[in-house]
Amino acid sequence: MKDDRTSQFRDAHSDRNTAEQVPDTPQTRAPAYRLAFNDNDFLCRDELRPVRLQLELLKPEMIQNERGIESTVVLFGGARIPDPEHKEGARTKTLADLSHYYDEARKFAQKMTEKSMQTYGREFVVATGGGPGVMEAGNRGAHDAGGNSIGLNIVLPHEQAPNEYVTPGLCFNFHYFAIRKMHFLMRAKAVCVFPGGFGTLDETFEALTLIQTDRMKPMPFLMFGKEFWTKIINWEALSEAGTISPEDLKLFQFVETADEAIDIIDTFYSEI
């Protein structure tokens, strides 16, 4: 978007195009001659890490502002949880059994997107990690409703391609996990966590820590699948050991269905 306050100055696009049309000489071929902002080798130097961090923070923020997105509902969950129609190909029986949470994530995202569309897509926009599994289910549910959804992808050796249901204009790609996690939470009004692995655990505990330490406002924090979560994490043992307080166990709630989650979110915001 062009800023009229600086329109009296020659814009960067024009100078970049002009710089690429200069005569071919030893001087113009030298890397030192490249415009700094148009020099990928320079931008990827270790010393430019602070600039890259800033760019990853700014680009999704500016685009979401331009699209009028004011709040999100975030879905975390495993990339390996299959669509029930394809659960026979799951790596383990447990993953196959967990496939019904794909349907719950899809249903939840569809219903939340229908609510979002009543605000012209400004509030409670579904945001996922943009990949397969639960993330795909979330974006797919929003697509079913005919609305937009956000995908916050990250470059990985595996599972790095966006799923086909993310809104193209809201599909972002990250190098830095830290900045990606900031964008998950900057607009969040609810967090829904489905069964998952290391990535899901990382995102879950980071968000809970921010709420616990008053760095982020309390919000509906919903853990889908009590049997799964109580099996892999002994929450009560943390409280009994004194490493967390009993009150910290109230920062989140276990749910099983999309409708149950939506009722909790609706009640929470109707009471504010």
Side-chain angles (χ1 to χ4, degrees), residues 114-165:
E114 289 169 355
K115 290 178 177 289
S116 175
M117 291 167 69
Q118 295 175 15
T119 69
Y120 300 97
R122 297 189 181 101
E123 300 280 359
F124 292 102
V125 180
V126 168
T128 80
V134 167
M135 296 173 280
E136 176 188 282
N139 297 118
R140 187 175 181 180
H143 186 269
D144 291 341
N148 294 326
S149 67
I150 299 165
L152 304 178
N153 289 82
I154 190 159
V155 179
L156 298 172
H158 308 287
E159 301 166 355
Q160 61 180 300
N163 68 68
E164 63 182 299
Y165 302 104

Side-chain angles (χ1 to χ4, degrees), residues 26 30 33 47 64 78-79 88 98 102 123 184 213 217 249 263:
Y33 184 77
E47 298 91 333
Q64 289 179 82
E88 292 77 11
L98 291 171
Y102 182 105
E123 300 280 359
F184 270 127
T213 56
K217 294 179 180 179
L249 296 177
D263 286 344

Side-chain angles (χ1 to χ4, degrees), residues 1 13 21-22 25 35 43 66 102 106 114 117 126 132-133 135-136 141 143 171 175 189 199-200 209 226 234 262:
M1 184 177 294
H13 290 283
Q21 297 171 13
V22 296
T25 69
L35 288 167
L43 289 174
E66 290 167 1
Y102 182 105
R106 182 177 176 181
E114 289 169 355
M117 291 167 69
V126 168
M135 296 173 280
E136 176 188 282
H143 186 269
C171 188
H175 173 65
K189 278 193 172 179
T200 303
T209 300
K226 183 175 182 178
N234 192 334
I262 290 170

Side-chain angles (χ1 to χ4, degrees), residues 59-60 63-64 150-154 166 169-174:
K59 182 178 179 181
I63 291 174
Q64 289 179 82
I150 299 165
L152 304 178
N153 289 82
I154 190 159
V166 182
L170 294 171
C171 188
F172 304 103
N173 201 15
F174 291 85

Side-chain angles (χ1 to χ4, degrees), residues 4-267:
D4 291 336
R5 293 173 298 176
T6 59
S7 60
Q8 66 268 35
F9 297 110
R10 183 177 172 86
D11 65 88
H13 290 283
S14 297
D15 269 3
R16 182 180 63 183
N17 293 336
T18 300
E20 292 173 349
Q21 297 171 13
V22 296
D24 183 23
T25 69
Q27 291 78 19
T28 62
R29 288 196 298 270
Y33 184 77
R34 299 174 193 154
L35 288 167
F37 64 82
N38 201 35
D39 186 343
N40 288 334
D41 291 334
F42 174 68
L43 289 174
C44 288
R45 287 176 58 161
D46 286 347
E47 298 91 333
L48 271 289
R49 183 174 290 114
V51 175
R52 295 195 300 274
L53 285 162
Q54 184 179 25
L55 290 173
E56 286 209 345
L57 182 63
L58 280 172
K59 182 178 179 181
E61 175 69 4
M62 292 170 66
I63 291 174
Q64 289 179 82
N65 283 341
E66 290 167 1
R67 295 289 292 267
I69 296 174
E70 296 179 9
S71 71
T72 59
V73 56
V74 176
L75 275 67
F76 295 141
R80 300 178 183 183
I81 292 180
D83 179 341
E85 294 183 3
H86 304 103
K87 67 179 182 179
E88 292 77 11
R91 295 175 59 185
T92 66
K93 181 180 183 301
T94 298
L95 283 174
D97 292 342
L98 291 171
S99 66
H100 71 279
Y101 286 114
Y102 182 105
D103 278 345
E104 291 302 324
R106 182 177 176 181
K107 180 179 178 182
F108 173 82
Q110 179 179 347
K111 291 193 172 186
M112 290 304 302
T113 301
E114 289 169 355
K115 290 178 177 289
S116 175
M117 291 167 69
Q118 295 175 15
T119 69
Y120 300 97
R122 297 189 181 101
E123 300 280 359
F124 292 102
V125 180
V126 168
T128 80
V134 167
M135 296 173 280
E136 176 188 282
N139 297 118
R140 187 175 181 180
H143 186 269
D144 291 341
N148 294 326
S149 67
I150 299 165
L152 304 178
N153 289 82
I154 190 159
V155 179
L156 298 172
H158 308 287
E159 301 166 355
Q160 61 180 300
N163 68 68
E164 63 182 299
Y165 302 104
V166 182
T167 300
L170 294 171
C171 188
F172 304 103
N173 201 15
F174 291 85
H175 173 65
Y176 296 106
F177 271 100
I179 302 300
R180 178 178 180 248
K181 286 192 284 187
M182 283 189 67
H183 277 292
F184 270 127
L185 300 178
M186 285 168 65
R187 286 175 167 81
K189 278 193 172 179
V191 174
C192 295
V193 185
F194 293 80
F198 285 166
T200 303
L201 290 167
D202 174 45
E203 293 156 349
T204 298
F205 282 111
E206 176 126 2
L208 283 173
T209 300
L210 289 172
I211 297 173
Q212 179 199 47
T213 56
D214 292 327
R215 302 304 300 268
M216 192 167 75
K217 294 179 180 179
M219 65 182 67
F221 201 108
L222 309 174
M223 311 283 288
F224 277 75
K226 183 175 182 178
E227 181 180 356
F228 175 85
W229 289 114
T230 55
K231 182 178 181 180
I232 65 168
I233 302 169
N234 192 334
W235 305 91
E236 295 293 338
L238 291 171
S239 174
E240 292 169 3
T243 55
I244 65 172
S245 71
E247 291 298 312
D248 291 333
L249 296 177
K250 298 178 181 178
L251 296 177
F252 60 90
Q253 294 174 260
F254 294 114
V255 297
E256 296 299 327
T257 67
D259 289 336
E260 185 181 358
I262 290 170
D263 286 344
I264 292 171
I265 293 170
D266 287 347
T267 300

